[in-house]
């Protein structure tokens, strides 16, 4: 057994390590969370914290209680409910109303952002943003502006809406649950609404009037011929009769591949990196390239089969020859069949179209690469490029493991592309609104959701009961099946929150939270409760942009409660402050999942979030610093 202060310092050190791993993502968030749980279980089992009565202050049951946490169960259930609303098309009418053709484009954009904020007050933000990404892309075309001016306002409108009710964000529910664990009463359904609406209103004014002026003009589809356009990773296998055979790069560029950047040449087991000036190409070499959409389109049309991933020795030559003769490689779109006499049994291949599609957070495509997925066979479409959040990857396209938010450049028949747009694994971005077809369960699923929210809001049943019953009914009416419901659950939310709750429990039991609270008071003790509350908001808002918002909230709530006790204030004041500050994930793409989702469609860099989001964070901090003392009489 160790002295309790040793446990405290061990817990604080572990917290610092976990924060660093969450920020850098040197290892996956899931593995970091599991490692945190395992470390805490071992430390407090081998070196228990013993209280004055001889009982353990931290048990394995305490550390694992997050898996049965009511707030976390509520979040998971609401994800299923949201999935049901999306799959039945219950939200389509809202999207169509906001984008009505009789409205001006500017009015439509404002209505869309307000609709997103309103929906996000009661639904998980991620699927709401996914639905409206292609709609705002269409609005950008109507306005003749770049999509980069609209994507970030979309994400921020969803975050602002999540500040206004208890179920607006998983963060809000987790803070309310943490209050119960710390011996306090939970937050009411609309307890955060008044201060949340104040911040959301000011924030929306900034998002609509100021933010588009701060966002850069990123190269759009019309300017992709320039080397500054959005680049996709693709690959070429050099055919034996190609003019590329024997060619050497001049100043890093191959003459036969204009406007293409060759990032790597794979020859057998050897990978050659730039420069390639004295490295002649050979038949069978695989070139990992970076090129714009227009350049890849030109390559695909002028050299059929060149961009097709190989499927064995000589596959590139066979695919090229078959496509040149009008036939089709097995499993690819546009295939036609002939009888024994060579007569065509089916019409000529339909015209191919090219679209961009984004991988959604709950997609089954996350994790494997294109070869493992057998993408061509599954969707009858061909991926000829991958783009990841404005970052380029030096790896073979077919070996890149897909992640949420990746943009795929896809070629296929119109019918197959339309079928692809109905999949929840992908949302088609280019040239389509991508809305789901209406189903006869749409009204019923909307009624289930409205009843659940209404009963919880008036206090007839606890929110966890309403959410679980609503999720069960969504499955019962076949709005979603069991497989789809399971896919809707976000394992990152589950594991990160459970690990953060366990860390919070350890910080509270070992005195780590009280230590941090005392240190904070020592810095600001002469400044009064209003200033301390303001500084607490700013600290939490800063950390939420480098941690996930859920982890930040759960880690800071014990500190806030300790500060409230020492200042003689109502703990709910600091709890609400934690909720609002933890939702201020505006200054970076890593603090909130929707920020990552719009990074690709908006062609953003990390600095764009800081440029447009940091002023919003500071404005909300100043507004809260003025509003909170008046609202609570500090």
């Amino acid at each position: 057994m160790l002295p309790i202060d040793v446990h405290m310092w061990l817990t604080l050190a572990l917290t610092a390590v976990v924060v660093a791993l969450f920020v850098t993502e040197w290892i996956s968030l899931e593995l970091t969370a599991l490692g945190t749980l395992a470390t805490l279980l071992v430390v407090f089992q081998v070196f228990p914290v013993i209280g004055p009565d001889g009982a353990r202050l931290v048990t394995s049951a305490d550390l694992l209680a997050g898996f049965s946490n009511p707030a976390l169960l509520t979040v998971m259930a609401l994800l299923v409910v949201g999935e049901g609303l999306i799959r039945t098309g219950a939200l389509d009418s809202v999207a169509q109303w906001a984008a009505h053709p009789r409205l001006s484009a500017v009015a439509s954009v404002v209505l869309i952002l307000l609709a997103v904020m309103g929906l996000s007050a009661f639904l998980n933000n991620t699927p709401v943003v996914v639905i409206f990404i292609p709609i705002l892309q269409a609005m950008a075309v109507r306005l003749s502006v770049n999509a980069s001016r609209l994507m970030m306002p979309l994400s921020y409108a969803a975050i602002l809406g999540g500040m206004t009710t208890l179920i607006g964000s998983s963060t809000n529910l987790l803070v309310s649950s943490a209050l119960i664990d710390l011996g306090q009463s939970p937050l009411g359904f609309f307890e955060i609404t008044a201060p949340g609406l104040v911040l959301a209103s000011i924030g929306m004014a900034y998002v609509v009037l100021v933010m588009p002026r701060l966002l850069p003009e990123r190269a759009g589809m019309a300017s992709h011929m320039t080397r500054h356009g959005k680049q996709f990773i693709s690959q070429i296998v050099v055919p034996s009769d190609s003019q590329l055979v024997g060619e050497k790069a001049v100043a890093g560029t191959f003459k036969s591949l204009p406007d293409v950047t060759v990032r790597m040449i794979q020859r057998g087991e050897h990978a050659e990196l730039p420069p390639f000036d004295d490295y002649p190409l050979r038949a069978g070499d695989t070139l990992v390239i970076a090129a714009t959409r227009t350049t890849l389109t030109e390559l695909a049309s002028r050299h059929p089969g060149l961009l097709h991933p190989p499927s064995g020795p000589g596959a590139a030559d066979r695919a090229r020859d078959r496509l040149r003769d009008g036939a089709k490689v097995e499993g690819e779109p546009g295939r036609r069949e002939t009888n024994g006499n060579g007569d065509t049994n089916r019409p000529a291949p339909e015209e191919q179209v090219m679209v961009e599609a984004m991988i959604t957070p709950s997609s089954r495509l996350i994790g494997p690469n294109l070869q493992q997925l057998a993408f061509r066979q599954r969707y009858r479409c061909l991926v000829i490029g991958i783009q990841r959040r404005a970052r380029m990857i030096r790896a073979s396209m077919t070996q890149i493991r897909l992640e949420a938010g990746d943009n795929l450049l896809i070629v296929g028949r119109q019918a197959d592309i339309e079928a692809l747009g109905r999949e929840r694994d992908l949302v088609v971005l280019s040239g389509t609104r991508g809305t789901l077809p209406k189903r006869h369960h749409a009204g019923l699923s909307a009624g289930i959701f409205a009843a659940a929210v209404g009963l919880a809001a008036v206090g007839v049943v606890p929110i966890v009961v309403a959410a679980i019953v609503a999720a069960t009914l969504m499955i019962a009416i076949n709005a979603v099946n069991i497989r789809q419901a399971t896919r809707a659950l976000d394992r990152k939310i589950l594991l990160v929150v459970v690990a953060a709750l366990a860390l919070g429990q350890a910080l509270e039991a070992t005195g780590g939270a009280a230590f941090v609270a005392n240190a904070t008071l020592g810095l600001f003790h002469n400044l009064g409760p209003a200033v301390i509350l303001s500084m607490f908001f700013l600290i939490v808002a800063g950390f939420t942009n480098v941690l996930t918002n859920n982890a930040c909230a759960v880690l800071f709530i014990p500190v806030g409660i300790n500060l409230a006790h020492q200042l003689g204030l109502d703990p709910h004041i600091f709890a609400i402050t934690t909720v609002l500050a933890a939702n201020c994930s505006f200054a970076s793409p890593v603090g909130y999942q929707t920020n990552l989702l719009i990074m690709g469609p908006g062609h953003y860099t990390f600095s764009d979030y800081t440029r447009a989001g940091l002023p919003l964070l500071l404005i909300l901090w100043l507004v809260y610093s003025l509003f909170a003392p008046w609202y609570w009489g500090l």
Side-chain angles (χ1 to χ4, degrees), residues 21 94 110 160 184 210 236 253 268 311 320 339 350 390 419 427 431 563 575 589:
L21 291 176
V94 177
V110 174
L160 290 168
Q184 306 295 321
V210 179
I236 292 172
T253 302
S311 57
R320 173 180 47 76
N339 58 25
E350 297 179 23
V427 55
L563 278 172

Side-chain angles (χ1 to χ4, degrees), residues 73-412:
L73 294 176
T74 302
V75 171
M76 297 294 111
L78 289 175
L79 288 174
V80 175
V81 173
E83 184 78 4
L85 290 172
I86 293 169
R87 284 191 172 274
T88 59
L91 300 181
D92 286 356
S93 58
V94 177
Q96 292 169 1
W97 166 78
H100 198 283
R102 292 184 179 179
L103 295 173
S104 69
V106 174
S108 291
V109 169
V110 174
L111 279 178
I112 286 170
L113 295 179
L114 291 175
V116 168
M117 187 175 76
L119 289 171
S120 297
F122 302 98
L123 283 173
N124 179 266
N125 298 346
T126 301
V128 173
V129 169
V130 167
I131 287 174
F132 281 92
I133 282 175
I135 297 175
L136 275 184
Q137 286 184 316
M139 289 295 103
V141 174
R142 284 179 60 188
L143 284 168
S144 299
V145 300
N146 198 277
S148 63
R149 294 291 181 91
L150 302 179
M151 291 298 107
M152 198 176 292
L154 170 64
S155 177
Y156 289 3
I159 296 173
L160 290 168
M163 293 181 173
T164 56
T165 71
L166 180 63
I167 64 171
S169 169
S170 55
T171 304
N172 312 355
L173 287 163
L174 291 168
V175 168
S176 181
S177 179
L179 281 173
I180 299 174
D181 295 339
L182 295 169
Q184 306 295 321
S185 59
L187 293 173
F189 194 93
F190 294 113
E191 190 172 350
I192 66 173
T193 301
L197 275 177
V198 170
L199 296 188
S201 300
I202 298 297
M204 278 301 294
Y206 172 88
V207 164
V208 171
L209 300 175
V210 179
M211 180 174 286
R213 304 175 187 274
L214 299 178
L215 292 171
E217 282 282 358
R218 296 299 184 196
M221 294 300 173
S223 60
H224 275 342
M225 283 302 289
T226 68
R227 66 172 56 211
H228 301 294
K230 185 171 70 172
Q231 301 273 308
F232 288 85
I233 284 289
S234 190
Q235 66 186 46
I236 292 172
V237 179
V238 179
S240 58
D241 60 350
S242 171
Q243 60 184 350
L244 284 169
V245 176
E247 187 171 331
K248 296 181 181 180
V250 177
T253 302
F254 290 93
K255 182 180 179 180
S256 300
L257 297 173
D259 302 313
V260 170
T261 301
V262 178
R263 300 180 64 84
M264 184 176 72
I265 301 174
Q266 184 75 37
R267 180 176 296 170
E269 300 298 320
H270 173 71
E272 182 74 14
L273 300 178
F276 310 110
D277 292 359
D278 296 318
Y279 196 79
L281 296 178
R282 297 179 183 174
D285 283 353
T286 298
L287 277 59
V288 177
I289 65 173
T292 63
R293 172 175 172 163
T294 300
T295 300
L296 292 177
T297 303
E298 183 71 12
L299 281 174
S301 60
R302 294 181 59 184
H303 306 284
L306 191 63
L307 296 175
H308 291 213
S311 57
D317 292 335
R318 292 196 300 273
R320 173 180 47 76
D321 294 339
R322 291 177 183 176
L323 286 165
R324 182 183 58 199
D325 297 335
K328 182 69 189 70
V329 179
E330 180 181 359
E332 295 176 2
R335 181 181 179 183
R336 65 180 183 180
E337 300 174 356
T338 59
N339 58 25
N341 298 322
D343 297 325
T344 302
N345 293 329
R346 297 173 62 181
E350 297 179 23
E351 183 179 355
Q352 304 288 293
V353 296
M354 181 181 292
V355 299
E356 291 181 49
M358 183 180 66
I359 298 177
T360 59
S362 60
S363 175
R364 292 170 296 180
L365 306 183
I366 296 173
N369 58 44
L370 293 173
Q371 285 184 335
Q372 293 167 337
L373 287 168
F375 192 93
R376 279 190 289 176
Q377 287 73 20
R378 177 178 296 183
Y379 297 107
R380 291 179 294 184
C381 298
L382 181 68
V383 176
I384 66 170
I386 299 176
Q387 196 264 350
R388 176 169 296 164
R389 303 171 194 157
R391 293 188 291 112
M392 299 304 296
I393 307 170
R394 185 177 278 113
S396 172
M397 181 185 73
T398 51
Q399 298 303 314
I400 296 173
R401 293 187 176 274
L402 301 179
E403 296 180 3
D406 284 353
N407 278 9
L408 307 183
L409 196 58
I410 301 174
V411 174

Side-chain angles (χ1 to χ4, degrees), residues 522-539:
L523 293 173
F524 306 112
H525 69 282
N526 292 325
L527 301 178
V531 174
I532 292 175
L533 188 68
S534 172
M535 297 308 299
F536 181 75
F537 183 103
L538 184 61
I539 291 169

Side-chain angles (χ1 to χ4, degrees), residues 567-590:
L567 292 170
L569 299 177
D570 182 357
H572 277 215
I573 295 176
F574 275 86
I576 293 173
T577 303
T578 304
V579 165
L580 299 176
N583 277 297
C584 289
S585 307
F586 304 118
S588 82
V590 300

